[in-house]
Amino acid sequence: MKKTIITGITGQDGSYLAELLLAKGYEAHGIVRRASTFNRSRIEHIKDFDLEDHGRLILHYGDLVDMASLLAIFSEVRPDEIYNLAAQSHVQVSFETPQYTSQVDALGVLNVLEAARVLKLPAKIYQASTSELYSGDPAETPQNELTPFKPRSPYGVAKLYGFHIARIYRESYGMFISNGILFNHEGERRGESFVTRKITQGIREIALGKRDAIHLGNLDAKRDWGYAKEYVEAMYLMLQQPEPDDYIVATGVQHSVREFCEEAFKEAGVTIHWEGKGLDEKGINAEGRTLVGIDPKFYRPNEVRSLVGNSSKTQKVLRWKPKTDFKELVRIMMRHDLAGVPEEKIKALAGPGRPPRPAGAESPARTKRK
């Protein structure tokens, strides 16, 4: 039975990756930080995953900034593969906590690599990198593995250190380390502070009467959005290759935050109309009720306005490509977040004059993904 260590196992990507590896028969060891309250909802359903034809999940307390804990865990487990997914991963938050972001996203990577080197582990290592390494310069669109890096946030800079220190350890010590440069990847397990989930969860809360509107920042920021559950498959495939390398994982198609908003509300039966400009712009429904507003506090100090990835190398070498398109991704997230919301409350979002649901059509809150 292969053994793997996953840092960041309680996050979106970590939980999907754990599911994938357990299904393949791995003994999966997850590193979690000790806290006064548990944050393990994403792996609650697999914590006792110990079936005859599957792998085992074992959790360890540790922290990327605590070298001693990494040495102890790595020495005990002696894994075949290490997936370093742990990070302070919110770009806006990185402007507010730049030192902490650097400790985890930069020096934390160094600690993982150094622990593996000191212990002479034969493990293959995956380092989670990000499209925020790029500046979004239109002259370099779409971005590929050779596009120059120019991050615009403390998060991006810390991740740039992580990318290069992984490359340096690979080249200097002959370690098997692959960087996965993943563009935005979302899903029903996305944290609620991220804009996509903020929108889908916000629509649920509006329908339930818990809030009046969703407040966002730059509606015209464009991103390459894919489905996280598929992206972890690419992570796994990187470590099954004979040689380590760096790969972009992306859909090659970009959409704006505005488009995500429109598509999410459409799934709830609401057509959003936009009025005003700049900070006064708002999204309204058929009766003129404001459902989306702009708040300047959600603008980044240094915005990356447009990102889209070229994953042709990944598709050729790993034989991986995305299957879920933008509309289906939004649909998956909305169906999850509208589950259990009464039909009459969803109907009320549109206001008077909403066209009747086509005969035989199911409520988006009750329709299951085929």
Side-chain angles (χ1 to χ4, degrees):
M1 178 183 289
K2 276 190 173 183
K3 294 182 180 181
T4 183
I5 287 178
I6 304 172
T7 72
I9 195 171
T10 58
Q12 170 187 250
D13 294 3
S15 65
Y16 281 132
L17 180 62
E19 285 179 344
L20 175 68
L21 297 180
L22 287 169
K24 292 182 179 294
Y26 278 67
E27 180 177 287
H29 294 257
I31 296 181
V32 296
R33 286 182 297 165
R34 184 71 177 92
S36 58
T37 57
F38 277 14
N39 180 26
R40 302 182 188 177
S41 59
R42 296 183 181 94
I43 59 171
E44 191 68 24
H45 63 294
I46 57 173
K47 68 177 183 179
D48 297 320
F49 203 115
D50 189 4
L51 306 178
E52 182 178 350
D53 296 328
H54 296 78
R56 300 176 59 220
L57 175 63
I58 303 166
L59 300 180
H60 305 261
Y61 285 122
D63 197 311
L64 262 62
V65 299
D66 177 13
M67 184 67 159
S69 69
L70 294 180
L71 286 168
I73 296 168
F74 286 12
S75 179
E76 175 188 347
V77 177
R78 298 203 66 84
D80 300 286
E81 297 173 359
I82 298 172
Y83 294 85
N84 184 33
L85 310 184
Q88 188 301 99
S89 56
H90 199 289
V91 175
Q92 181 67 39
V93 170
S94 77
F95 284 99
E96 300 166 12
T97 60
Q99 289 177 312
Y100 174 74
T101 300
S102 297
Q103 288 172 347
V104 177
D105 297 6
L107 296 182
V109 179
L110 175 62
N111 287 342
V112 169
L113 301 180
E114 184 65 3
R117 186 190 71 83
V118 169
L119 294 172
K120 295 181 170 55
L121 297 181
K124 293 182 176 182
I125 301 174
Y126 170 84
Q127 170 56 29
S129 198
T130 171
S131 59
E132 292 289 333
L133 298 181
Y134 302 112
S135 68
D137 188 335
E140 294 288 346
T141 298
Q143 292 84 36
N144 60 45
E145 290 84 357
L146 300 179
T147 300
F149 296 138
K150 188 180 178 182
R152 293 189 173 185
S153 66
Y155 169 74
V157 170
K159 279 293 192 176
L160 182 59
Y161 177 92
F163 177 92
H164 280 308
I165 200 65
R167 175 187 57 79
I168 289 170
Y169 268 61
R170 180 174 68 206
E171 296 173 355
S172 302
Y173 303 117
M175 297 170 67
F176 190 115
I177 307 169
S178 289
N179 284 298
I181 307 173
L182 273 60
F183 280 62
N184 291 64
H185 46 293
E186 318 295 318
E188 58 270 48
R189 298 180 191 173
R190 189 57 145 155
E192 294 175 12
S193 63
F194 291 84
V195 68
T196 53
R197 193 75 194 289
K198 184 177 179 181
I199 293 169
T200 61
Q201 185 70 6
I203 293 173
R204 174 187 176 87
E205 292 179 355
I206 293 173
L208 292 174
K210 294 183 177 181
R211 66 160 70 186
D212 295 325
I214 303 167
H215 291 90
L216 304 171
N218 181 10
L219 293 174
D220 296 314
K222 295 181 178 181
R223 292 294 185 269
D224 182 331
W225 277 308
Y227 189 23
K229 190 173 184 178
E230 297 171 356
Y231 280 34
V232 300
E233 297 172 5
M235 299 178 188
Y236 166 75
L237 290 172
M238 288 180 206
L239 298 197
Q240 311 316 307
Q241 302 308 303
E243 299 293 335
D245 206 344
D246 305 324
Y247 301 90
I248 280 180
V249 182
T251 70
V253 181
Q254 65 177 188
H255 295 274
S256 66
V257 174
R258 184 190 304 276
E259 290 176 88
F260 196 101
C261 254
E262 293 170 348
E263 201 62 38
F265 273 104
K266 188 184 298 183
E267 188 62 25
V270 181
T271 298
I272 287 290
H273 303 279
W274 301 99
E275 288 187 351
K277 294 183 178 180
L279 296 179
D280 296 323
E281 187 172 14
K282 58 185 179 180
I284 62 174
N285 67 0
E287 66 179 354
R289 176 187 174 188
T290 298
L291 298 178
V292 182
I294 304 299
D295 190 327
K297 74 179 181 181
F298 295 124
Y299 276 81
R300 297 177 185 175
N302 194 7
E303 178 70 83
V304 178
R305 298 187 179 278
S306 176
L307 290 172
V308 59
N310 178 351
S311 63
S312 58
K313 174 182 174 181
T314 300
Q315 295 186 39
K316 179 180 179 181
V317 178
L318 304 185
R319 298 187 182 279
W320 175 95
K321 64 179 180 180
K323 305 178 186 70
T324 303
D325 65 17
F326 176 71
K327 290 186 177 182
E328 179 62 14
L329 171 63
V330 178
R331 189 172 298 121
I332 290 169
M333 296 177 69
M334 281 302 300
R335 287 174 179 172
H336 176 272
D337 283 344
L338 286 181
V341 179
E343 174 72 12
E344 60 272 18
K345 291 186 178 293
I346 297 174
K347 286 182 178 180
L349 281 173
R354 170 182 172 170
R357 192 180 302 281
E362 297 177 87
S363 162
R366 295 170 173 77
T367 304
K368 294 182 179 181
R369 187 183 177 205
K370 306 298 183 185

